[in-house]
Amino acid sequence: MTRRLVLAAAQMGPIQKAEGRDVAVARMVRLLETAARRGAEVVVFPELALTTFFPRWYEEDLGRADHWYEHALPSNETAPLFEAAKRHGIGFHLGYAEKTPDGHRFNTAVYVHPNGEIVLKYRKVHLPGHSEYDPQRHVQHLEKRYFEVGNLGFPVVRAPIGDKQVNIGMLICNDRRWPEAWRVLGLQQVELVMLGYNTPSLNMENRGFEAHHLRVAHSHLSIQAGCYQNSCFAAGVAKAGTEDGNELFGHSIIVNPQGEIMAMATSWDDELIIADCDLGMCELGRRTIFDFARHRRPEAYGRITAQVGSEAPAVWTPKA
Ligand code: CDV
């Protein structure tokens, strides 16, 4: 029997620093309702979808940054999204800043069943940027200040989406550039990777040259390679546009296990893209070129987990 999943990626346009969660949530409800009308069974929202991308703003006292975080889910402000999901019988993926009851801060994503239960939670592992104010940068990227490294690993769960069971995993933004993260999901037979991002249109590290057009190319390259090499679908969903003068690129995509782009957003605003995903496509790679059980050679991969930074290679010199 064909397992078809109607997958929606809900790209979001900018959220300004002064805008409240009510504005973002109202936009998300509209996107979710449109997704449901178009027959989607799940809708994927971006990373840190409820606020502006606040790690660009330095706050010396972390306590004063508390208003950026969710202390409970749902809260009064996010409840309308949960209610809309229930009304329309559609699951959703949400990226948000999490502050736990014991005071830990994470860049988190959840997959929520239409009945409001949290099916899967993931906390971002690869945190880019820096933890202290960096005067060399035009714009700060303080994820290492505002978040701890995720402590849940890369979980995959088999759970219902619509009338099917689907193996669901998640990555968040910078994670998409790390093949190790994809492979850990692949080793759990992930079929759908939900992945939100906030990526500036320019390299803000201000160290060396990176051509503008390659910013989107690198994002797509990473997601397409991740899907192909791990035989899965992904929804890579941006927060896009200009937030308080800071431009984030869009180009949200849905990718199939062959690494092909099935749908792509063309605006830098709220925009829904939808694809009809035949989950049976995950089988081809799994049974042939990426049949892990037959072809992987972990005995040769020791450095992947034993080492963090790269090491200089042995130097060859001619004998004569
Ligand atoms: N939010 C992110 O993780 N953004 C990074 C940027 C800073 C490079 C990304 O990898 O897209």
Side-chain angles (χ1 to χ4, degrees):
M1 199 182 74
T2 312
R3 290 164 65 228
R4 278 195 185 279
L5 172 72
V6 187
L7 171 62
Q11 177 173 289
M12 293 179 70
I15 301 174
Q16 307 308 326
K17 195 180 179 197
E19 283 178 308
R21 281 170 184 67
D22 53 332
V23 178
V25 169
R27 284 164 52 185
M28 293 166 88
V29 168
R30 276 198 294 279
L31 284 160
L32 184 141
E33 286 172 346
T34 309
R37 262 201 309 281
R38 295 199 201 154
E41 297 165 296
V42 56
V43 57
V44 180
F45 292 107
E47 174 192 36
L48 301 177
L50 297 166
T51 65
T52 197
F53 187 72
F54 69 86
R56 69 169 71 91
W57 303 105
Y58 178 73
E59 193 67 73
E60 187 167 348
D61 174 4
L62 263 187
R64 290 172 61 97
D66 262 2
H67 61 101
W68 296 121
Y69 297 83
E70 304 311 305
H71 302 255
L73 209 64
S75 58
N76 288 343
E77 285 154 314
T78 52
L81 185 58
F82 285 70
E83 286 155 14
K86 193 172 203 165
R87 229 174 16 254
H88 293 280
I90 182 168
F92 68 93
H93 162 283
L94 172 69
Y96 66 102
E98 175 189 16
K99 184 152 180 217
T100 65
D102 55 350
H104 295 281
R105 298 174 172 85
F106 298 102
N107 186 339
T108 298
V110 286
Y111 171 61
V112 182
H113 186 272
N115 72 5
E117 276 180 75
I118 292 178
V119 176
L120 183 64
K121 178 183 276 194
Y122 168 66
R123 292 174 172 151
K124 186 173 182 178
V125 167
H126 297 98
L127 298 174
H130 46 109
S131 55
E132 298 303 327
Y133 186 84
D134 180 353
Q136 196 184 325
R137 297 181 63 111
H138 298 311
V139 182
Q140 303 298 299
H141 193 108
L142 291 153
E143 282 197 63
K144 282 183 167 36
R145 181 176 194 80
Y146 289 123
F147 304 118
E148 294 174 41
V149 172
N151 58 359
L152 301 175
F154 295 99
V156 174
V157 69
R158 188 164 180 81
I161 300 184
D163 57 358
K164 293 155 289 288
Q165 295 287 325
V166 183
N167 299 351
I168 306 165
M170 295 171 187
L171 298 173
I172 302 180
C173 196
N174 191 261
D175 288 325
R176 72 194 185 286
R177 306 181 195 273
W178 299 91
E180 298 91 331
W182 287 94
R183 183 47 48 89
V184 176
L185 295 177
L187 285 166
Q188 299 169 82
Q189 299 180 1
V190 72
E191 293 175 309
L192 171 62
V193 176
M194 302 178 182
L195 187 175
Y197 62 89
N198 282 261
T199 304
S201 302
L202 295 176
N203 186 335
M204 293 297 175
E205 282 212 46
N206 209 16
R207 293 183 182 88
F209 170 74
E210 184 179 0
H212 299 179
H213 69 282
L214 293 179
R215 300 286 288 174
V216 172
H218 290 158
S219 177
H220 286 182
L221 183 66
S222 303
I223 299 171
Q224 291 177 259
C227 286
Y228 168 60
Q229 293 169 347
N230 296 283
S231 313
C232 61
F233 289 85
V237 189
K239 178 131 69 57
T242 305
E243 294 188 335
D244 298 285
N246 302 287
E247 197 178 274
L248 300 166
F249 68 68
H251 294 82
S252 302
I253 48 174
I254 296 177
V255 176
N256 73 17
Q258 294 292 319
E260 292 170 299
I261 295 178
M262 303 173 77
M264 180 165 74
T266 53
S267 74
W268 283 13
D269 216 324
D270 290 4
E271 180 178 344
L272 203 67
I273 56 171
I274 297 193
D276 203 352
C277 303
D278 174 2
L279 295 169
M281 275 186 81
C282 300
E283 291 303 312
L284 178 66
R286 262 182 216 157
R287 292 202 180 137
T288 58
I289 196 155
F290 295 115
D291 180 341
F292 293 161
R294 277 198 290 150
H295 305 307
R296 285 187 79 247
R297 290 286 168 253
E299 68 277 13
Y301 308 151
R303 280 183 188 273
I304 297 284
T305 52
Q307 199 175 313
V308 181
S310 63
E311 288 175 4
V315 177
W316 181 88
T317 46
K319 289 201 177 75

